[in-house]
Structures are given as structure tokens and as C-alpha cells.
Amino acid sequence: MTTLTKTEGAGSAPTGSDPFLSVRDLYVRFSTEDGTVKAVDGLSFDLERGRTLGIVGESGSGKSVTNLTVLGLHNPKTTQIAGEIVLDGQELIGARERTLETLRGNKMAMIFQDPLTALSPYYTVGRQIAEPYRKHRGVSRREAHLRAVEMLAKVGIPQPKLRVNDYPHQFSGGMRQRAMIAMALACDPDLLIADEPTTALDVTVQAQILDLLKDLQQEFGSAIVFITHDLGVISTMADDLLVMYAGRAVERGSVGEVLRSPQHPYTWGLLSSMPRLGSDVDKALTPIPGSPPSLLNPPSGCPFHPRCAFPEQVGGGRCATERPALPEGRGAACHLTAEQQRTVFIDQIKPRLG
Amino acid sequence: MLPFLIRRLSGAVVIMFLIGAFTFFLFYSIPQDFAELACGKNCSPQNIAVIRENLGLDQPIAAQFRDFMMGIVAGRDFPQGHCPAPCLGVSFASGDMVWDSIIDRFPLTLSLTLGGLVVFLVVGLGAGLIAAWKRGTAVDKALSGASIVLSSFQIYLLGPIVLGLLVYSTGLMENPKYVSPFDSPGGWFLGMLIPWVVMATIFTAQYTRMSRSTMIEQLQEEHVRTARAKGMSRGYVFFRYAWRGSLIPIVTIIGIDLSSLLSGAVVTEFTFDLAGLGRLAVESSVNKDIPLTMGVMMFGAFFILMLNIIVDLAYAFIDPRVRLS
Amino acid sequence: MSENPTLSPERQDPPDAVGETLLSVEGLTKHFPIYGGFPFKRKVGAVQAVDGVDLTVRAGESIGLVGESGCGKSTTGRLITRLMQPTSGRITYAGQDITRANRRQLAPIRSEIQMIFQDPYSSLNPRQTVGTIIKSPMEVNGINPPGGREKRVRELLETVGLNPEHYNRFPHEFSGGQRQRIGVARALALEPKLIVADEPVSALDVSIQAQVVNLLQKVREELGIAFLFIAHDLAIVRHFSQRVAVMYLGKVVEIGDRDSIYNRPRHPYTHALLSAVPEVELAEETEGRERIRLAGDVPSPVNPPSGCRFRTRCWKAQDKCATQEPPLVRIGGNREGHLTACHFPEEPTIAARDEDVVLDPALAALEEATDTH
């Protein structure tokens, strides 16, 4: 079981073992000409080996920034970071660049959204896959090349011995993403971060890639952080789910819990603004009013309160002044009581979802 | 790759022909009697008639054009003697073969260009890379600032200052002059050093700014981030991934600069009193020495064409997407 | 190629049609030439972006066009709005052949067919105010609404849910969703009868998409405007469109009313497409959907497969599929108006099969390995 608990001293996880990846009170801020962007604002989560954590959110929710920070790929000059990121007992924030280099591509790897721009046009697919394997395993050029062929075969590239010498632009979109996965898995990483890995792909190819990732996870046993804006994708991929809004986690729990009995008004909004293949076409969608907030100047209190329909149920103007905490484990960062959340969902939200 | 090269070279031949034709008809449309120009002042009508016949100016224009083009391909005969291919005619002013005059001046121009190129590529690109690597630091600001200041300089300003400092007041160096490197490599080097440095300074500034900005742009590319995410070191990513992409715009500019320098660096040559192609071009046009002007023009056009092809080949070498499409 | 007008003999307007046929296209084809070769460049082939599409749009209805990249859905939209000249085929609008109509002939029709684009950032001129952007179609077409153009623009802003006071603002002052509303207002300025909406919500955040979908729905219902709704998101198309056409590699492979396409599909590609959509399962126990995993990507439209274009990725393909192109017809078991271009159609259900169709070799291998231990 992945434990999604806030730090209450070490070893509070129910299984007794320390999580493989643990992010604690992470704050990420960028200095820009317009001011300071509060990209991630007090985020905590844990992840265990072999599990998949889905992080869902819209643009500007901080989901991608969080994971670039885990890998240490942010620009150190303009970024201020506070908090803890512990990977397998090792603190990553403040770690030396050399240390991070030995971890990246080796113990933790990343798959990016658009494989066309994320692969270098100047080198063959094989070389790009072999590169991290050579570096981290210290093997010969030839061994690394064989590993590239092996990985390409594993991710389903036909004629891998020939295609290993192709350049990315000679691959189709789906094949490029497979090559990207081959590259990320070449060193058998314990942690795989997939940032919208199928958003740029067609739906039939997306289905292949998602299944492939799931099957490869079974084989490699990696922990996966899967970032997406697509609730459908996340419901097929993840074990646990973290919903992010304006740089904060607003709800978490297992995928089934969050999608079937959501507690946060933002999660309700996401679900009821999105048509599904099985939904009732005669029911109008219920959009979330307004737009996502600027992270230069996020709303006070609960960042969702300007778009939320329920602040008066909380009363006392608390939503605008007091920041709701995200409870340990299953829960939502919302001032509504558990009872209110349950009745609103059953009486108002669920009927909309058809 | 080979078909590409053949296609480009055959295209270049066609374009060279068109340039020849264009040059020919451009100059022959000048409302002036070439025989009079060739004869100079105080020329008797008899002399003019002789010259007209010698130059074939009494023939119909189509025949003259044919002779001109054939001369370039196969050579032609003048009363002064045989003019071997590529024959660009005979200078009105000196009576020498145009081709010989150009070839006579070319080593200096080539020396000036290649020497300057080495300096401004090494210093310019190097400074740009350092500035990009140290982006935002004092080093970057110093290099960027210096490049802006230097790029506002002009050769005719910087040249005399350097000459004044190193030659006239201190006598540390001699006045620039051209000595064949085959006769005296040391003399050649010392003789060209000041022009190289002065000319390169102006170009260096431009290359520093460009290599810095293209590197910074490339460093933001997603594939560069991917390489970092694989654990490749910063230096490796900088040179293997980012630099490769920044070469395309740089190669483009090098091609343009080289072809203009090879057809003569007029200002540099005048500033340092060197006799290269640029000076030849200016002198010929001042003297209304039409064949020489035409010859220098076509010679320059040839380099522009060749460098264009070389630049395209370089693109293919740098970027497999160009190579394989 | 398939200039064959007898392709869809069954195509008739159903009796309870929304309205009269507003627009119809027959054999619509667009080939983009490819140049290359040695020593002289010449036409060496063509991207067969759209290849013989038949389609009708009735007044007031919404027809969805779905398919993956390279299927020609966007090109079809651009051909219909005459932003592009078709290679061949016929476009008839309100009984008038506009395939080769010139600028002047087209002028009155241009205002009746409007387009909404995908990217609300690049489709609005950043140097013009919102008022100017919405007003300019009226100016170009010399339309003077009662009360003046400015008044009309303010009304339009109100219709699309923007503050009329924002008349003098610039596009960059608006969010993505608001910009798309400006795009809708611009399209509405000329009181069109047909709007071609090309991926109108795919650039927007999930929470904003519904705002724009609802707006388009309101516009369609209240103003009676017909929509050709082009999108890759099958759930949104289902929500918005009464009829749906599925395209693959430049051809319509299946067309029918919403229920037929989504619940009773016959073409294997439609099955594959639907089964690939990742669906949020809101209930604990839901009846399983079929699982079909194709191999590889869509082939290049430069050299599309002979016969049935889907055959290279189809699990039911036989020799016949390579030699004979299946006509788009009403096959046995289809409802009226439900046409399928397939020699070996599937059962009209999307329920889980006894055995998944997994054509992807890597998936098949990995799944075999996990099944055995």
C-alpha cells in the first residue's frame, strides 16, 4: 500500500517500511520579471516501489514542476526550493550536482510529453538509449548498443536491430514514445516519472502505450509517478491519486476513492465538466466557473474559493482567510465537514455525472 | 548525398552562366564607347578603330557575347596574345589579362580572409560559449558588454588606432604588408597579424553575441533537458547536444561573411594599404576598366555560389533531418 | 481515385431529419502534391489527405467528425469553408454548387459558413481590440445591423458570456477560455447557418472545456446554427453531436446517428477507437468494455494501403480487403442512416469479448509472460 500521510515523525507509514520516494512540505518558487511564482506550495506525498501515483491537475497546478524538482532539473539561479525530497533514504534537495547525475537516468528516469522535441534530432535513437546505460553501468559501446536493441525490442519496435540506427524523425509518433520509454527504462530505474506521456499521441496509440507502461512496470517493478490532466488516463493507470490545484494538493486517496466518492469541490468540478462515453448526453455539462488562478498572486485561504460554490456552507468567510489542511491519508483540503462533503456529493454532484 | 551534390553543382553552372550573361549585358548597356574607354584620353580616331577591331567591338553584340562566354570556357585570342580559360578579357588600363590580375591579388585576399576567420571563429565562438555557460554571471556580462562595444567599432577607426599604437609610436611592429607564406611564413604571419586582429575584432563581436544567444536558446530545448534527465553531465550536454543545434545559424552566417570577404575586404585593404581583390575592384571601377570590373564581379559571384553549396552540405552534416529528407 | 458517386446508394435523409440539407459534399478529395526527384524536381506523389468523402449537414444539426491525426478531418473542415481548394469532388451549399465558386460568388455564402479554430492564442490578432476583431467580419461583408455595429458587438459579447464593457480590451487580457468565446462571437457576427468548429476545446484546460462546449450548445439550440464539430476527443463529440462520422486515412469509414456509432458500431476501426478511450469508471461494478489494442500507428497518407485502408491494422482483414475497397453503405443490421465501409463488419456491440484483441506484439508478448506465471 502506498502511504499518503503527512510527516508525523519518521516511520509513520502503516507498513512500517520507509517509502521509496517521500516528498515533504515542498515549496518551489520562481523569480520572474513579474514577481515570484509560487509554483508548488507545501506539497507532501509518499510513493512505494511497484506502485503508481497519479498526479492530476490543469496547467499551472504545479504537477510538472514538482517532478522536475525531484530530478533536480530546475534552474537553480531562479528557483527557490524548500522542503524535503527523499529518494530511497537519500535527500535530494541540496544534493551535489554530481550525486544527482549518478541518480538521474539510473535510479530515477523521466518520460516527457512530446517525444519529437524530447529526443535529440542529431543522434540516432540507439545512441540516445545507449548513452545513459554506458554512463551508469560503465559498459562498452558495443554492450550499450546491444542493450539499446534489447530495449527497443521490449517496447515493441519492429526490426530493432535495424531501427536502432534510425534517427527520431524516422520514427512515427507512437514509436518515438516507445523509444523514449526504452531510454528511460534502460538502466532499470526504481522510479519512473511520466509527465503527460500520452497527451501528444492518438487515442489508439495512447491505449497501446498505457498498457505497455503497465506491463513493463510489472516486469521492472518501478514506482511510477504519472502526471496527467486526463482523468480517464489516470483512472486506468494509477493506484493512488493526488489532485493538484494552484501548486497544492487538494485531495488524495486511492483512485477508486477519489473518482467514485470525491470530497473536494474542485474534483467534483473536474468530474462534472467532463463528458464520458457512458454519460447521459441530455444532461448539460457543469463547468467550473472562472479560470485557474495566477500563481504570482494566488487567492488567500483556499486557492479554489473564488471558483467554488460552497463557501457559504462553510460560513464565516473561512474559505477566503484560512487555508484548509490536507489530512493524512485519504482526504481533501476543504473546510466542508466530512458530512457536508458526503451529502453535497450524493445530493448535488452525483446526479450530474449520469 | 551525391545526387544532391550533382544537382547543386549543375545548378551552380547554370547560375554562373546567367551571372555571366547578366554581367555582360549590364555593362554593354552602358552608353559609352568601350574603345574610347580602352584608348584613354587624347586618342586618335585611328587608334580607336584599331582597338575596336582588336577587342571585337565591331562585331554584332550576339557574337561578342558568344566570344565572351566561350573565352571563359575555352579561352580566346587577343592581339596581346592567347588568353587561356577562364578568360575574362583584357584590362583596358594595363593591357594585362583580367584573370592574371585577379589571381595576382587573390593570395592576399585569401590570407586576409582565412587568417581573420580563424581569429574570429576561435575568439568569437569561444567567448560566446563561455558567456552562455556562465549565463547571468559577471563573466557573461563582461563578455556581452565587450561584444556590444566592439561591434559598434569600425575598421577604419580601429585600424589607425592600432597602427598608431603598435607601429608609429612604439615601433613594436612593422606596417602591414603581404609576403607569400611560401617564401617566408614568419614574414607572412607578422605582416598580416594587425589586419587579422583588427578585422576579426569587428566580426568577433558579432559571433560572440550570436553564439551566446543560439546556445542559450538551444539549452532550453526539450531534448537538452532529456539528456540532463538521463544523467549526462552538464558539459557533455552543453557540447554534444546544445552546441550541435546552435551550429546551423552560425554556419549560415559564416557562409555569408566568407563569401563577401573572399570577393574583397575593401575597407580593411584601404585601411592597411594592402592590394587585394577589394582594392582591385574599386580601382577598376574608378578607372572605368570594364573587363576588370566584370571579372572581379564574376569571381566574387563564384565564391558566393560555392559557399552556398558548402553551407548546405554542412547543414546535412550537422542535421540528419536535412541529410535524410 | 474513388470518384465513384455510387458509393453510398443508401444515403437518404431520414424522415425525422432536423432540417433540410444545408450542405452536402460528394467525393470530396484533397491531395497535397509532394515534389522531389532528380535531376529536376517534379511531382513524385501526393499526400492523400482527403480522398472521396461524402457527407451531408442538415440545417440546425450537429455532425461530429472524429478520427486520429492524418485522417483528414481538419482538411475536410477547411475544404468545406473553402479555406482550401479541393482537388476534386463537389460541395453544394443550399442547393448551389460552390466547389469552384470565385470570390464574388462566394461572398454571400462565406458569411453563412463560419469557422472556429483550435488555438485561441494564434487565431486572434494581438494588435486588435476585441471590438475590432468581432466587428471586422461585418465590415468586410458590408453588414450594418440595426443600431450599429458596435451595439451588435456588445450583444454578441453578452451572448458568449463576456462583459460588453470589455469591448476595447486586447486578446492578451483574456484567458484561453475567454479567447475562445471571442472566437465564437466573431463566428456569430454574420449570423451564420453553419459553423465548422475545428478542435474548438482541445487547447483548453479541462475545467474550461465544458464552458465552451456549453456555449456552443446554447448557440446551436437558440440560434439554430448547424455545426460540423471536428475533434479527436470521442466523449466530447458524443456529447455534442447527433450524428457522427468516423474518418480514417482520408475516408469516412463509418457514419451514423450517435447511438449507432457509440453503442452499435460495425467498423472494426470504430470498435478499436472506442475501446481505446480511457474512461473514468464511476461505478464499482461496470459491465466490461471490449479491449482492442492495435499495432503501430496510422500509416502514411502518402501511400495508403490498397483496398480498405484500415486492413493493415485490422484483425479481420482477408485477401478481399486488399483488392476491393469496401463501399460506405448501410449493411445488414444497421439502422437507417448508419453506413459502414467494411467487408467483414463486427457485431453491433461494444461489450467485452471472450478474448481481447491484442495486435501489438510487445503487449502480446508481455501479457503472455505475465499470464504464464
Side-chain angles (χ1 to χ4, degrees):
Chain A
M1 212 10 228
T2 304
T3 56
L4 293 161
T5 52
K6 280 207 102 180
T7 21
E8 298 282 78
S12 68
T15 50
S17 66
D18 281 334
F20 176 63
L21 172 71
S22 169
V23 173
R24 285 281 158 272
D25 297 315
L26 182 69
Y27 290 84
V28 182
R29 291 181 180 185
F30 304 122
S31 322
T32 67
E33 285 173 11
D34 300 325
T36 305
V37 175
K38 294 171 183 158
V40 180
D41 200 22
L43 178 70
S44 302
F45 64 85
D46 290 335
L47 176 62
E48 282 186 13
R49 279 198 174 82
R51 299 282 292 183
T52 300
L53 172 70
I55 301 185
V56 73
E58 299 174 281
S59 51
S61 63
K63 57 192 195 302
S64 294
V65 174
T66 302
N67 291 287
L68 287 176
T69 314
V70 170
L71 282 178
L73 291 176
H74 51 276
N75 180 351
K77 290 202 187 75
T78 55
T79 316
Q80 300 130 42
I81 295 175
E84 284 175 33
I85 299 174
V86 179
L87 179 80
D88 203 11
Q90 189 170 12
E91 174 61 60
L92 298 185
I93 290 179
R96 292 177 58 222
E97 184 62 25
R98 277 282 149 82
T99 316
L100 289 174
E101 274 168 21
T102 61
L103 296 175
R104 284 188 209 130
N106 189 17
K107 200 161 193 169
M108 52 184 185
M110 189 150 179
I111 304 171
F112 293 97
Q113 174 175 348
D114 184 354
L116 182 61
T117 53
L119 290 169
S120 168
Y122 307 120
Y123 299 110
T124 62
V125 169
R127 176 179 164 155
Q128 294 187 57
I129 298 172
E131 231 169 22
Y133 195 66
R134 260 192 93 189
K135 163 156 181 153
H136 297 303
R137 298 289 161 88
V139 298
S140 70
R141 195 177 284 268
R142 201 184 136 60
E143 277 174 271
H145 181 83
L146 289 176
R147 176 67 172 175
V149 175
E150 181 194 343
M151 289 308 297
L152 283 179
K154 192 149 267 168
V155 298
I157 303 287
Q159 297 179 291
K161 278 182 191 153
L162 290 176
R163 302 309 298 262
V164 73
N165 294 318
D166 277 0
Y167 289 91
H169 71 272
Q170 294 168 292
F171 274 29
S172 65
M175 278 181 16
R176 270 184 224 125
Q177 197 56 292
R178 284 170 196 254
M180 189 86 171
I181 292 169
M183 192 165 86
L185 294 179
C187 293
D188 199 356
D190 297 314
L191 172 66
L192 182 64
I193 298 174
D195 189 353
E196 304 260 9
T198 58
T199 305
L201 303 176
D202 278 324
V203 63
T204 60
V205 179
Q206 165 172 284
Q208 297 164 27
I209 299 287
L210 292 178
D211 286 5
L212 185 69
L213 270 174
K214 274 191 283 193
D215 291 347
L216 288 171
Q217 184 183 23
Q218 295 246 309
E219 189 179 326
F220 284 74
S222 311
I224 298 181
V225 175
F226 196 102
I227 304 164
T228 182
H229 68 279
D230 188 325
L231 288 174
V233 168
I234 214 70
S235 80
T236 67
M237 278 305 291
D239 302 310
D240 301 290
L241 192 51
L242 197 64
V243 182
M244 285 190 72
Y245 185 80
R248 300 181 194 179
V250 295
E251 180 161 4
R252 66 173 139 210
S254 73
V255 162
E257 287 167 341
V258 175
L259 295 180
R260 288 181 201 137
S261 47
Q263 297 172 344
H264 198 282
Y266 176 63
T267 317
W268 298 338
L270 280 183
L271 283 167
S272 46
S273 62
M274 175 191 77
R276 288 168 300 113
L277 286 182
S279 56
D280 183 350
V281 291
D282 294 325
K283 283 198 181 115
L285 304 174
T286 316
I288 304 176
S291 317
S294 157
L295 296 177
L296 282 168
N297 196 5
S300 61
C302 169
F304 188 63
H305 85 262
R307 301 175 76 189
C308 185
F310 308 99
E312 65 279 7
Q313 286 208 24
V314 173
R318 267 175 82 205
C319 292
T321 51
E322 193 184 322
R323 177 174 169 174
L326 183 63
E328 292 172 29
R330 168 79 186 121
C334 179
H335 288 309
L336 290 172
T337 63
E339 188 49 41
Q340 283 172 318
Q341 287 168 359
R342 197 160 31 245
T343 46
V344 170
F345 177 68
I346 288 169
D347 297 346
Q348 298 180 39
I349 311 298
K350 208 164 183 190
R352 279 182 204 161
L353 302 178
Chain B
M1 190 62 14
L2 193 65
F4 167 81
L5 197 59
I6 294 170
R7 185 162 67 220
R8 289 302 305 268
L9 285 174
S10 45
V13 170
V14 173
I15 293 169
M16 260 333 276
F17 175 83
L18 292 175
I19 289 171
F22 178 75
T23 320
F24 180 88
F25 287 106
L26 186 71
F27 282 102
Y28 277 70
S29 66
I30 294 172
Q32 231 173 3
D33 187 347
F34 282 6
E36 265 175 49
L37 286 178
C39 195
K41 282 174 188 166
N42 309 322
C43 192
S44 69
Q46 289 85 348
N47 282 350
I48 291 182
V50 171
I51 288 169
R52 185 166 291 146
E53 198 190 326
N54 285 348
L55 290 177
L57 293 171
D58 48 352
Q59 308 223 8
I61 192 138
Q64 287 188 47
F65 178 60
R66 188 199 61 214
D67 287 346
F68 175 75
M69 296 308 287
M70 283 304 288
I72 295 172
V73 180
R76 65 193 279 201
D77 287 307
F78 287 106
Q80 293 93 329
H82 177 69
C83 170
C87 177
L88 295 168
V90 177
S91 161
F92 291 164
S94 64
D96 294 336
M97 301 297 166
V98 167
W99 178 255
D100 293 343
S101 307
I102 290 172
I103 289 304
D104 192 39
R105 301 286 188 97
F106 187 55
L108 175 103
T109 293
L110 189 65
S111 298
L112 193 61
T113 304
L114 293 184
L117 179 76
V118 169
V119 178
F120 69 67
L121 282 191
V122 171
V123 181
L125 296 186
L129 289 179
I130 292 168
W133 176 268
K134 301 250 171 203
R135 187 187 178 189
T137 64
V139 176
D140 174 26
K141 282 172 188 144
L143 286 171
S144 304
S147 77
I148 288 170
V149 171
L150 286 178
S151 65
S152 61
F153 273 45
Q154 296 292 344
I155 290 173
Y156 52 75
L157 173 68
L158 198 58
I161 293 174
V162 174
L163 285 179
L165 280 176
L166 294 182
V167 181
Y168 302 124
S169 48
T170 59
L172 285 174
M173 291 187 72
E174 287 180 32
N175 242 327
K177 64 173 185 299
Y178 176 74
V179 185
S180 167
F182 302 106
D183 296 341
S184 158
W188 170 76
F189 184 80
L190 287 176
M192 299 301 290
L193 193 56
I194 291 177
W196 283 341
V197 170
V198 169
M199 186 177 85
T201 302
I202 312 297
F203 282 95
T204 296
Q206 177 198 340
Y207 281 85
T208 300
R209 279 186 300 159
M210 198 172 63
S211 79
R212 176 183 181 273
S213 66
T214 56
M215 271 310 279
I216 285 171
E217 208 174 277
Q218 286 293 316
L219 285 167
Q220 327 257 348
E221 289 278 323
E222 274 188 47
H223 68 85
V224 172
R225 186 179 67 185
T226 309
R228 298 270 289 137
K230 290 196 293 190
M232 310 322 282
S233 71
R234 195 171 164 228
Y236 186 92
V237 170
F238 191 84
F239 286 105
R240 296 299 173 94
Y241 281 85
W243 201 44
R244 183 96 180 237
S246 77
L247 283 178
I248 296 261
I250 289 172
V251 162
T252 311
I253 302 293
I254 292 176
I256 293 169
D257 284 345
L258 262 189
S259 54
S260 85
L261 284 176
L262 280 175
S263 38
V266 179
V267 179
T268 311
E269 289 171 23
F270 272 92
T271 303
F272 297 107
D273 197 22
L274 296 167
L277 280 180
R279 212 181 164 96
L280 188 67
V282 173
E283 284 165 0
S284 73
S285 75
V286 169
N287 294 338
K288 295 187 182 161
D289 192 343
I290 303 289
L292 196 51
T293 309
M294 285 168 69
V296 176
M297 228 177 107
M298 290 185 63
F299 196 72
F302 172 77
F303 278 112
I304 293 173
L305 278 177
M306 286 303 115
L307 279 160
N308 251 315
I309 294 175
I310 291 169
V311 164
D312 283 353
L313 285 175
Y315 287 163
F317 182 75
I318 296 165
D319 191 339
R321 286 170 297 185
V322 177
R323 181 155 73 235
L324 297 162
S325 66
Chain C
M1 284 229 148
S2 64
E3 275 288 82
N4 190 349
T6 62
L7 272 184
S8 44
E10 307 282 306
R11 204 192 57 223
Q12 287 157 358
D13 295 349
D16 58 339
V18 183
E20 302 196 339
T21 299
L22 186 65
L23 177 115
S24 74
V25 298
E26 285 161 49
L28 191 67
T29 300
K30 180 71 188 177
H31 290 183
F32 296 99
I34 303 169
Y35 296 97
F38 176 77
F40 297 104
K41 284 197 175 176
R42 59 185 186 276
K43 198 184 149 196
V44 291
V47 179
Q48 303 182 12
V50 176
D51 201 48
V53 162
D54 298 340
L55 208 62
T56 51
V57 185
R58 301 181 198 108
E61 80 164 339
S62 167
I63 176 160
L65 210 51
V66 294
E68 297 176 285
S69 55
C71 74
K73 55 188 193 298
S74 283
T75 309
T76 303
R78 271 151 212 265
L79 291 171
I80 285 171
T81 44
R82 286 293 315 273
L83 288 174
M84 260 179 206
Q85 183 68 33
T87 309
S88 66
R90 226 161 89 97
I91 307 172
T92 314
Y93 178 79
Q96 189 186 346
D97 185 345
I98 60 163
T99 322
R100 310 272 155 198
N102 61 29
R103 259 182 94 87
R104 198 182 306 155
Q105 293 163 323
L106 216 51
I109 292 164
R110 271 263 154 82
S111 62
E112 295 190 4
I113 309 178
Q114 288 294 309
M115 190 143 185
I116 299 172
F117 297 93
Q118 171 176 359
D119 186 353
Y121 293 88
S122 62
S123 59
L124 302 177
N125 184 341
R127 276 174 282 282
Q128 288 183 343
T129 63
V130 168
T132 315
I133 289 172
I134 300 172
K135 201 163 58 180
S136 69
M138 291 188 263
E139 282 167 358
V140 169
N141 289 279
I143 290 169
N144 286 302
R149 288 177 185 146
E150 186 166 333
K151 178 164 171 276
R152 174 84 182 121
V153 171
R154 288 180 195 276
E155 284 168 15
L156 285 166
L157 283 171
E158 202 146 9
T159 308
V160 299
L162 291 173
N163 187 344
E165 303 298 310
H166 293 171
Y167 185 88
N168 282 319
R169 294 201 179 178
F170 287 91
H172 69 85
E173 297 174 70
F174 294 88
S175 67
Q178 289 173 321
R179 287 183 208 211
Q180 201 55 301
R181 289 171 190 269
I182 297 169
V184 175
R186 174 173 62 184
L188 294 178
L190 296 174
E191 301 182 8
K193 296 209 169 82
L194 171 65
I195 289 181
V196 175
D198 187 2
E199 300 273 9
V201 299
S202 58
L204 305 175
D205 267 327
V206 185
S207 71
I208 308 298
Q209 285 187 352
Q211 297 177 2
V212 175
V213 170
N214 283 358
L215 169 65
L216 295 179
Q217 215 149 17
K218 180 184 105 175
V219 160
R220 186 175 67 76
E221 281 159 13
E222 292 177 6
L223 304 175
I225 298 170
F227 271 82
L228 180 67
F229 192 90
I230 302 166
H232 69 277
D233 185 322
L234 283 110
I236 288 183
V237 170
R238 175 177 174 273
H239 183 81
F240 192 78
S241 312
Q242 289 116 12
R243 284 200 304 142
V244 176
V246 181
M247 286 187 74
Y248 186 78
L249 272 182
K251 292 192 181 286
V252 173
V253 295
E254 187 155 26
I255 183 169
D257 60 86
R258 171 164 47 203
D259 182 53
S260 295
I261 295 295
Y262 283 87
N263 295 323
R264 302 167 50 79
R266 306 301 301 278
H267 199 286
Y269 179 62
T270 315
H271 278 261
L273 206 54
L274 287 170
S275 92
V277 176
E279 178 86 326
V280 178
E281 301 297 352
L282 292 179
E284 200 78 51
E285 291 297 317
T286 45
E287 50 191 289
R289 294 188 301 145
E290 57 183 344
R291 177 166 174 264
I292 300 166
R293 294 294 176 261
L294 300 178
D297 298 56
V298 181
S300 156
V302 177
N303 270 316
S306 65
C308 171
R309 294 191 169 183
F310 184 60
R311 71 177 165 82
T312 51
R313 300 170 82 203
C314 185
W315 58 97
K316 299 193 91 177
Q318 298 182 24
D319 293 347
K320 185 185 180 187
C321 301
T323 51
Q324 272 182 48
E325 184 178 335
L328 185 66
V329 292
R330 179 177 173 190
I331 52 177
N334 279 9
R335 289 188 205 150
E336 184 151 16
H338 179 189
L339 315 177
T340 309
C342 182
H343 292 306
F344 307 102
E346 285 282 336
E347 291 300 315
T349 170
I350 53 164
R353 299 159 188 246
D354 295 340
E355 203 165 322
D356 292 342
V357 178
V358 179
L359 304 179
D360 188 296
L363 282 185
L366 285 163
E367 276 160 28
E368 184 130 326
T370 41
D371 282 352
T372 45
H373 62 65

